Amino acid sequence: MSKIEVQGTIINILSLNNADYISLTNMVSNQEDGSKLIEKWLTNKNTIEFLGIWEQLNNKAFNTPEFGGIMNEAGTNRFYMSVKQWVARTNAIGITARAGSQGGTFAHRDIAFNFGLYISPIFNLILIKEFQRLKEIESNQYGVEWNFKRVLSKANYQIHTNAVKNYIIPKAGYAQAKEWLLYADEADMLNIAIFGTTAKQWRDANPERVLNGENIRDMASINELAILSNLESLNSILIKNGLSKKDRFKILRETVVDQKKTLDGIDMVKTLKKENSSTFIDYQKKSNSQSDSTFDIHLKGLLKVPPPKKS
């Protein structure tokens, strides 16, 4: 999950089916009877109409006939609708309820912005602004730098595998069909040195991410990818020089500790992490604290309570 902050409220953003889903539960967490506000919004006939149109445009499996029946019910005194009922009756995908410590009601960003407007126009404007800031970070500074490090680590990976192929495999006496074990073994030595776990252990602990095609190195921070690139190059040299696996691991682990200590002292690098860019948003806010934008100043003016008039 990523996070944004709106009027002092931290809001989770979940990536689901290649789309951004914003936590409605978080959006009302600082309001009295916040959960009831979501139910009240969902029971509103205008909301039902909006949700139905959104589903018809984005969901081929949407149960349109059932939606028609719900529209006939909406607006009456006895009408009530919950998230679970809406999803169960219409096969909707735009809004979902999730269990767990970071669960709650999540809605596609289009729908979340509609709910934000229901809360208040000012809240919705800030929500949209912070969301756009997050997307800009992910697609520009954050995305470009992370991808560069990932490409660099892949380049050094080739150097590393060539060292295994030329210096370890000829001495191992393995059948060609089992040579991949040596490659995996050397790769896992690097994984343990930097991440503290093997690739298999990570896959066993993260089955959902594995189903999304992710691996242990996809979840690494920029710091870790930079160190990983250095380790792959260093280990290829150690292999060529004939050092034992035990001696190589000792040197690699010491290198990780030294380089991590150095890189973690660099704020710009430390804050850029693939799995969560909210810390980088904090960094940008800190960097820009000296000069508020015209938009921010205008919003602050709107939020101020005017002084009482003198009698």
Side-chain angles (χ1 to χ4, degrees):
M1 290 188 184
S2 299
K3 298 177 186 294
I4 57 175
E5 183 177 339
V6 178
Q7 293 185 312
T9 301
I10 302 300
I11 301 173
N12 288 329
I13 300 176
L14 174 69
S15 179
L16 185 64
N17 299 325
N18 296 318
D20 294 306
Y21 280 66
I22 301 174
S23 173
L24 305 189
T25 302
N26 290 155
M27 288 170 62
V28 295
S29 60
N30 287 340
Q31 300 199 28
E32 187 176 354
D33 294 330
S35 59
K36 291 184 179 179
L37 188 62
I38 297 175
E39 293 178 358
K40 186 177 178 182
W41 167 75
L42 194 55
T43 302
N44 184 283
K45 186 170 184 176
N46 290 334
T47 300
I48 294 295
E49 183 179 12
F50 173 81
L51 293 176
I53 293 172
W54 187 93
E55 294 290 344
Q56 289 173 338
L57 292 174
N58 296 279
N59 180 8
K60 293 181 180 179
F62 184 61
N63 191 334
T64 302
E66 183 66 21
F67 166 63
I70 294 174
M71 278 298 296
N72 290 332
E73 299 171 19
T76 63
N77 292 333
R78 66 180 182 277
F79 179 70
Y80 171 81
M81 182 61 63
S82 69
V83 174
K84 290 184 178 180
Q85 287 175 340
W86 171 251
V87 173
R89 291 179 63 177
T90 67
N91 198 33
I93 62 172
I95 190 166
T96 181
R98 296 172 65 90
S101 58
Q102 295 192 29
T105 299
F106 285 81
H108 187 278
R109 61 185 183 183
D110 299 341
I111 298 171
F113 294 154
N114 179 273
F115 180 61
L117 188 60
Y118 185 81
I119 296 173
S120 81
I122 292 176
F123 183 92
N124 195 47
L125 283 172
I126 301 175
L127 173 68
I128 294 172
K129 180 172 177 282
E130 290 303 312
F131 180 83
Q132 290 173 336
R133 192 205 303 265
L134 173 66
K135 293 295 104 180
E136 182 179 350
I137 289 168
E138 290 180 342
S139 62
N140 293 317
Q141 304 101 322
Y142 156 69
V144 171
E145 290 203 33
W146 187 87
N147 285 332
F148 172 76
K149 294 295 183 182
R150 194 71 173 96
V151 170
L152 181 62
S153 69
K154 287 183 178 180
N156 279 349
Y157 176 75
Q158 187 62 48
I159 296 173
H160 187 240
T161 55
N162 282 346
V164 176
K165 177 181 178 181
N166 295 330
Y167 295 93
I168 293 181
I169 289 178
K171 298 178 181 179
Y174 274 32
Q176 188 173 2
K178 292 186 176 181
E179 288 179 358
W180 65 271
L181 292 172
L182 292 173
Y183 290 111
D185 189 48
E186 288 295 325
D188 265 338
M189 183 171 69
L190 301 185
N191 289 334
I192 293 172
I194 191 167
F195 305 121
T197 183
T198 66
K200 184 180 184 304
Q201 289 170 338
W202 185 90
R203 289 194 300 270
D204 291 342
N206 298 274
E208 290 186 5
R209 287 181 168 177
V210 173
L211 290 175
N212 290 332
E214 297 169 336
N215 62 51
I216 188 172
R217 299 184 182 194
D218 287 321
M219 294 298 102
S221 68
I222 286 186
N223 282 12
E224 291 165 338
L225 289 176
I227 297 171
L228 176 61
S229 295
N230 296 337
L231 291 191
E232 287 171 332
S233 181
L234 174 60
N235 195 39
S236 66
I237 295 172
L238 298 177
I239 290 172
K240 290 178 184 179
N241 284 292
L243 273 72
S244 68
K245 186 175 180 180
K246 180 180 179 180
D247 290 339
R248 285 190 286 116
F249 180 79
K250 181 180 179 182
I251 294 172
L252 293 171
R253 183 56 194 162
E254 290 174 351
T255 301
V256 170
V257 173
D258 290 342
Q259 294 191 3
K260 195 173 189 301
K261 187 183 300 182
T262 299
L263 293 181
D264 281 354
I266 305 174
D267 287 342
M268 191 64 177
V269 177
K270 181 175 63 176
T271 54
L272 289 169
K273 292 186 77 71
K274 168 126 173 77
E275 67 271 21
N276 192 336
S277 56
S278 64
T279 49
F280 188 35
I281 293 176
D282 296 337
Y283 174 86
Q284 278 208 329
K285 286 181 179 178
K286 181 180 177 181
S287 300
N288 297 329
S289 61
Q290 300 299 321
S291 57
D292 284 335
S293 67
T294 303
F295 182 85
D296 290 331
I297 294 172
H298 182 58
L299 283 176
K300 288 177 181 177
L302 290 174
L303 292 170
K304 287 181 179 179
V305 179
K309 293 182 180 180
K310 294 182 179 180
S311 57

